[in-house]
Amino acid sequence: MSARWLLRRLLLIGYTLLVVSLLVFAITQVLPADAAVTLLGENATPDALAAVRVQLGLNDPVWLQYAHWLGGLLHGDFGTSMRSGQPVLPVMLTALSRSLLLAVLSIGLMLAVAVPLGVLAALRRGGAIDLLAGLVAYLGVSLPEFVTATLLLILFADMLHWLPATGYVPLAENPADSLRHLVLPVVTVSLILVAHVSRMMRSETIDVLHSDYARAARLKGLSPATVLFRHVLRNALLPVVTIVALDVGYLLGGIIVVEEIFAIPGIGRQLIVAIQNRDLPSIQAGALVMAATYAVANFLADVAYAVLDRRIRYD
Amino acid sequence: MIRRLLRTPQGAIGVVLLALVALACVFGPALAPRDPEALDFLGRFHPPGAGHWLGADQLGRDVLSRLLVGARTTVPLALLATLLGTLSGAVLGTLSAYLGGRWDEAIMRTVDAVMAVPGLLLALLIASTLGKSGGNAMIAVAVAFVPGMTRVTRSVALAARRQDYVAAAIARGEGGAWIVLREMLPNVAAPVVIETTIRVSFAVMLFATLSFLGLGAQPPSSEWGLMVAEARRFLHQAPWMIAAPGGAIALTAIGFNLLGDGLRDALNPRDER
């Protein structure tokens, strides 16, 4: 990993955020909501509306509005919410911190389930575990999060009363209760990730098991366990890093739905609320924060890949 | 080709499931045992059983009938969204591979950047901009599919770009549009079709999710995602109101996934995985 590669990669993040800002601005610009009306209410006088439009720069040409907005972003000024009047960036970042716990737990659960499942399925192809893994994979990619979440709610909260239905408890306040509230959301979000990663893990393990060096290790007389852990797993796990980073997109999408259903005040729910209120600055900030999260996750994955796999030398 | 598809277990099950869905789309209203809009206040929350095979909802409407009629508002729109999105993505990806060099680099880096916006988020933004309706949700899903499809197609089209027939077309003095649309695109069709089939299942889910979040089909439509959203308030009294449309969405999505996998196996018989 050379300094040049790192620099290029960081520049790409900058380009990504620029394109995303343009995209978000272009989409939200055509939102059929007059910002002045949203701010003052339906009963405002035409004079007051006109004054606010001048104040917000709504009469400026579009490119100038974008330039002003982008200039503000670069200074950390994402605007203020049209509903609450609060600066939107701190609100979104607080919400993101709540979502991060959900995201990290989901990735952790996914790895704990998907890696063993994929490896066992590969070791006994056509066996019971392989069939189970196949079933999980099909269910994972075919059940939308809102269906999984609702079915889990019915089963574990409504019928069995094992877990609380909805709500959010900060981790610092009461860790045990906080985690109990997160069980169903985490299971829902990780299902689709388990589906992807266990399939990937299975096919990678099969590939590596058939490789020359795995054969050589077996012929050398190493025990099957040593071959598996020292040679096969290390190589089969590498591509998983990349697929997990790409899956952050699904993760963020899942988080939007799950936070809405389980009433978790994270970034996804803030975004839905902002969309329902037609609160432009909040929508823009929420979308940008999410995209930045994705871009950073992929950057970290590339770096991790380069560190883990010495054969790869990025120039 | 079709016989080979039906010989794979995935393909056979997928075809059967999708045949059922297609039947519901075409003949849904005729097959429905009751009027899907008929209110029956004495029959509210009627559990599944005689009279209402899949139960009745909070207004006494027959869930099975609503499901059968709702197929039309769910599946064809998801199909159309996928076709629009994948076709645009395929053209863009092929174009990028044809142009190569700096243009290719610029297009692909921009596509990568757009992919930083999760598909659901992009669809949400577009659907909320265009206004709440099934048609707008379809456009939103289509747009959300373009970047991913561009990437997939480009990777295949790069190989096609090096083929002699492209060089021959350039030597003949054909225009860029002709080469992209008539020479290269047909030759990347097979992998694109497989990818498209699998993506329909994603479109069905994305489309239903938008309706579930209130940005797609609007009441009193019996679009399946909307049915789940409305049933959420009655989760305690009538879990079947969620299970039925949820199951319908899942079976449709599984059908397209199986068909896609079956097609892949049928087209690449040597690949044992």
Side-chain angles (χ1 to χ4, degrees):
Chain A
M1 196 180 357
S2 64
R4 229 188 113 205
W5 176 80
L6 260 181
L7 188 69
R8 189 182 134 79
R9 199 63 187 71
L10 284 172
L11 280 177
L12 271 182
I13 290 193
Y15 181 66
T16 298
L17 293 179
L18 186 71
V19 170
V20 170
S21 78
L22 199 60
L23 189 71
V24 167
F25 186 80
I27 294 176
T28 48
Q29 194 59 38
V30 272
L31 263 186
D34 186 338
V37 176
T38 312
L39 209 57
L40 297 180
E42 301 283 346
N43 302 324
T45 63
D47 287 350
L49 287 176
V52 168
R53 283 197 194 106
V54 171
Q55 197 192 334
L56 292 176
L58 292 178
N59 297 329
D60 291 341
V62 175
W63 62 267
L64 195 61
Q65 289 187 41
Y66 175 69
H68 276 308
W69 181 66
L70 191 65
L73 295 188
L74 292 176
H75 290 96
D77 174 17
F78 282 61
T80 51
S81 163
M82 288 180 183
R83 288 282 152 168
S84 64
Q86 303 280 325
V88 287
L89 187 61
V91 174
M92 285 299 165
L93 288 180
T94 313
L96 180 69
S97 71
R98 297 185 189 122
S99 302
L100 276 183
L101 180 62
L102 174 58
V104 168
L105 288 176
S106 303
I107 291 182
L109 176 68
M110 176 273 284
L111 287 176
V113 174
V115 171
L117 193 63
V119 172
L120 289 175
L123 289 177
R124 299 256 183 282
R125 283 170 74 186
I129 292 183
D130 195 13
L131 289 180
L132 176 77
L135 189 69
V136 168
Y138 272 113
L139 283 181
V141 294
S142 306
L143 278 171
E145 281 94 353
F146 71 92
V147 173
T148 322
T150 327
L151 293 180
L152 288 175
L153 259 179
I154 294 179
L155 187 61
F156 291 103
D158 203 50
M159 294 168 96
L160 296 171
H161 297 288
W162 286 357
L163 292 163
T166 57
Y168 168 79
V169 178
L171 188 66
E173 203 172 275
N174 183 342
D177 206 29
S178 173
L179 293 179
R180 267 166 52 81
H181 277 89
L182 279 174
V183 172
L184 293 182
V186 164
V187 171
T188 307
V189 172
S190 46
L191 184 62
I192 185 167
L193 306 178
V194 167
H196 284 169
V197 173
S198 64
R199 285 284 96 176
M200 182 83 182
M201 199 63 215
R202 177 181 180 271
S203 68
E204 285 301 323
T205 309
I206 290 175
D207 273 359
V208 178
L209 281 173
H210 288 161
S211 68
D212 288 340
Y213 59 83
R215 220 166 78 97
R218 274 194 300 272
L219 292 177
K220 213 158 63 172
L222 294 179
S223 72
T226 316
V227 175
L228 184 65
F229 286 102
R230 280 248 305 269
H231 298 272
V232 175
L233 268 188
R234 281 174 114 182
N235 289 290
L237 269 170
L238 270 178
V240 170
V241 176
T242 314
I243 196 105
V244 170
L246 290 174
D247 268 359
V248 169
Y250 288 109
L251 182 73
L252 291 172
I255 279 177
I256 297 180
V257 176
V258 162
E259 287 183 348
E260 172 69 14
I261 293 178
F262 292 101
I264 300 169
I267 184 116
R269 193 168 159 81
Q270 290 288 357
L271 199 77
I272 298 274
V273 171
I275 285 176
Q276 281 162 353
N277 289 336
R278 303 201 163 283
D279 182 353
L280 280 193
S282 297
I283 297 175
Q284 292 166 337
L288 279 173
V289 167
M290 276 198 157
T293 310
Y294 179 86
V296 169
N298 274 280
F299 170 68
L300 292 179
D302 278 359
V303 172
Y305 202 95
V307 170
L308 290 173
D309 192 345
R310 297 293 165 77
R311 288 170 305 187
I312 293 196
R313 294 248 306 276
Y314 292 110
D315 297 318
Chain B
M1 166 68 217
I2 289 180
R3 201 180 302 158
R4 218 194 265 162
L5 171 70
L6 288 175
R7 216 175 285 158
T8 65
Q10 296 103 315
I13 304 175
V15 166
V16 170
L17 279 177
L18 293 182
L20 289 176
V21 174
L23 216 62
C25 286
V26 178
F27 301 108
L31 289 172
R34 287 164 180 256
D35 177 359
E37 302 302 330
L39 308 181
D40 172 13
F41 285 94
L42 293 176
R44 296 170 66 204
F45 301 121
H46 191 291
H52 295 285
W53 287 2
L54 293 177
D57 68 3
Q58 76 277 16
L59 301 173
R61 296 175 295 191
D62 185 44
V63 172
L64 176 62
S65 304
R66 286 177 62 71
L67 212 57
L68 283 169
V69 174
R72 275 187 183 186
T73 49
T74 313
V75 183
L77 278 180
L79 263 173
L80 202 58
T82 318
L83 285 179
L84 266 178
T86 54
L87 200 62
S88 324
V91 171
L92 191 59
T94 315
L95 180 72
S96 186
Y98 165 72
L99 293 173
R102 287 179 183 277
W103 278 105
D104 183 38
E105 179 82 6
I107 293 177
M108 290 323 290
R109 291 297 82 79
T110 306
V111 163
D112 284 350
V114 174
M115 282 181 84
V117 183
L120 177 61
L121 176 59
L122 189 57
L124 270 177
L125 289 176
I126 296 169
S128 67
T129 300
L130 296 176
K132 307 166 180 177
S133 84
N136 289 340
M138 183 209 72
I139 295 173
V141 173
V143 175
F145 275 5
V146 173
M149 211 54 215
T150 305
R151 237 187 175 173
V152 172
T153 316
R154 173 189 173 260
S155 66
V156 190
L158 277 181
R161 175 72 180 82
R162 285 190 293 269
Q163 299 294 316
D164 289 341
Y165 60 78
V166 175
I170 295 174
R172 281 204 308 274
E174 304 281 11
W178 173 274
I179 296 176
V180 168
L181 296 176
R182 299 302 300 273
E183 301 279 349
M184 289 172 72
L185 206 53
N187 285 289
V188 299
V192 169
V193 166
I194 295 175
E195 185 69 22
T196 304
T197 316
I198 293 176
R199 263 165 201 264
V200 180
S201 73
F202 194 51
V204 170
M205 297 198 291
L206 200 54
F207 188 68
T209 304
L210 285 180
S211 295
F212 175 80
L213 292 173
L215 288 165
Q218 298 295 310
S221 160
S222 59
E223 197 279 330
W224 295 344
L226 188 63
M227 282 177 78
V228 178
E230 289 183 341
R232 249 174 88 200
R233 283 184 294 146
F234 311 105
L235 184 138
H236 307 275
Q237 297 110 306
W240 56 86
M241 280 172 59
I242 290 174
I249 295 168
L251 284 180
T252 311
I254 289 179
F256 280 107
N257 271 318
L258 288 168
L259 183 68
D261 285 356
L263 275 178
R264 181 180 302 158
D265 286 357
L267 289 173
N268 310 318
R270 269 170 304 163
D271 188 12
E272 281 180 24
R273 260 173 293 152

